[in-house]
């Protein structure tokens, strides 16, 4: 951040009065520009003992497999975000189950939330996906999973064995 | 948003190529300025059948009671955020238990996450708090609770009765 998005002035880096950490602050219009973590929402679409995975058509991790997930948007809930991402990446409809994994990625400024889900109908590659495929529980391509958070979620999904064992929290450090 | 925070040019509102919704985009440096929901993290500090609440010294809801909660910061986990907010608002230390409530507030662009917690030691009003107090489970000031999300979390906390029943999700609509 270099310029104030409200008035266009050059911003300063300082601790605002009454605050306890440095922020970008506009010396002209006095706006404090807070920067906060982003939410990634996804799900594990399951049907008859198989899981739907997507082979990424974009960087990072082009060519690796992922569960459907992406940045939550304004004006949607976390469940709606997980449904939308599954639609966009895998052209698939799901019925969301329960939230079962929350993975912090502090160095990226992200929180990744994963739901269980039931796949309804078919699937196909969306714009950001090379191909989609169903993998049986015993045949997950563990060495080709794109992200550590998705890897953690898949492991816990299998450990839970269909039950709601609460939310598994985890932090990914560099 | 009116000016590009990277180069100071006036931004446009348009759907970027390959995207499916309007964003603030800089016509000069081509930066897309995404806007996404914020995370609020909090906990319900409990000790011997009583819950620690804080009377708010700031707007919104000045003078109403709340569980310790606030915006998650960069470079912390959701648990660390809940611990920090409890320290700032109630001068209290807690041992975090499990995540038990996730409340979407789409019209505010927020997701509120609540943990169970054990209060360790004393408590006192922080800078944003008029006073702190312990309330027995049967004596919660329901009509003076500041926010609907905290109200939901308190209800579910009592319903769970100390067990981990998974995460209760809820959406607050206007």
């Amino acid at each position: 951040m270099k310029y104030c998005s409200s008035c266009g002035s050059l911003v300063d880096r300082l601790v605002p009065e009454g605050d306890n950490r440095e922020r970008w602050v506009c010396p002209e219009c006095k706006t404090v520009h807070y920067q906060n973590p982003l939410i990634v929402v996804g799900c594990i679409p399951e049907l008859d003992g198989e899981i739907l995975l997507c082979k990424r058509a974009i960087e990072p991790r082009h060519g690796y497999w992922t569960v459907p997930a992406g940045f939550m948007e304004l004006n949607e809930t976390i469940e709606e975000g997980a449904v939308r991402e599954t639609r966009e990446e895998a052209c698939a409809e799901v019925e969301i189950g329960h939230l079962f994994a929350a993975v912090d990625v502090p160095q990226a400024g992200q929180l990744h939330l994963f739901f269980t889900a039931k796949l309804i109908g078919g699937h196909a590659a969306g714009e950001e996906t090379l191909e989609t495929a169903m993998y049986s529980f015993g045949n997950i391509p563990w060495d080709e999973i794109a992200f550590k958070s998705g890897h953690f979620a898949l492991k816990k999904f299998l450990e839970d064995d269909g039950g709601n064992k609460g939310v598994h929290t985890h932090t990914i450090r560099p």
Side-chain angles (χ1 to χ4, degrees), chain A:
Chain A
M1 174 155 236
K2 195 169 173 190
Y3 297 91
C4 175
S5 54
S6 299
C7 78
S9 303
L10 282 165
V11 289
D12 294 328
R13 188 74 178 167
L14 53 84
V15 180
E17 199 184 317
D19 203 339
N20 52 23
R21 61 186 72 202
E22 287 193 343
R23 315 280 183 186
W24 293 111
V25 181
C26 179
E28 296 301 322
C29 73
K30 312 300 180 195
T31 301
V32 180
H33 297 280
Y34 296 96
Q35 292 179 317
N36 300 85
L38 298 175
I39 304 165
V40 168
V41 283
C43 70
I44 298 197
E46 184 262 334
L47 185 66
D48 297 335
E50 292 187 319
I51 289 169
L52 173 63
L53 295 180
C54 306
K55 194 179 224 178
R56 288 173 63 82
I58 55 170
E59 294 293 350
R61 310 296 278 165
H62 181 284
Y64 284 77
W65 292 92
T66 181
V67 299
F71 288 108
M72 184 183 178
E73 298 280 1
L74 291 175
N75 301 313
E76 70 183 5
T77 66
I78 46 176
E79 293 192 15
E80 289 166 351
V83 168
R84 176 185 51 73
E85 286 292 339
T86 308
R87 212 172 270 151
E88 290 178 1
E89 297 187 352
C91 305
E93 296 300 319
V94 287
E95 183 184 313
I96 295 293
H98 63 273
L99 184 63
F100 78 99
V103 183
D104 283 290
V105 195
Q107 78 272 18
Q110 295 176 7
L111 170 68
H112 296 195
L113 299 176
F114 297 95
F115 289 89
T116 62
K118 286 289 171 193
L119 178 64
I120 302 164
H123 55 90
E127 283 191 16
E128 299 180 353
T129 302
L130 292 171
E131 61 175 300
T132 53
M134 299 301 293
Y135 282 96
S136 65
F137 291 175
N139 205 28
I140 307 288
W142 294 109
D143 294 339
E144 298 169 57
I145 298 298
F147 302 109
K148 287 179 181 173
S149 61
H151 196 280
F152 173 82
L154 283 164
K155 285 276 185 197
K156 292 300 172 187
F157 178 85
L158 296 180
E159 283 178 25
D160 283 357
D161 196 26
N164 185 348
K165 310 284 177 67
V167 165
H168 305 280
T169 54
H170 182 56
T171 303
I172 292 171
R173 305 282 183 190

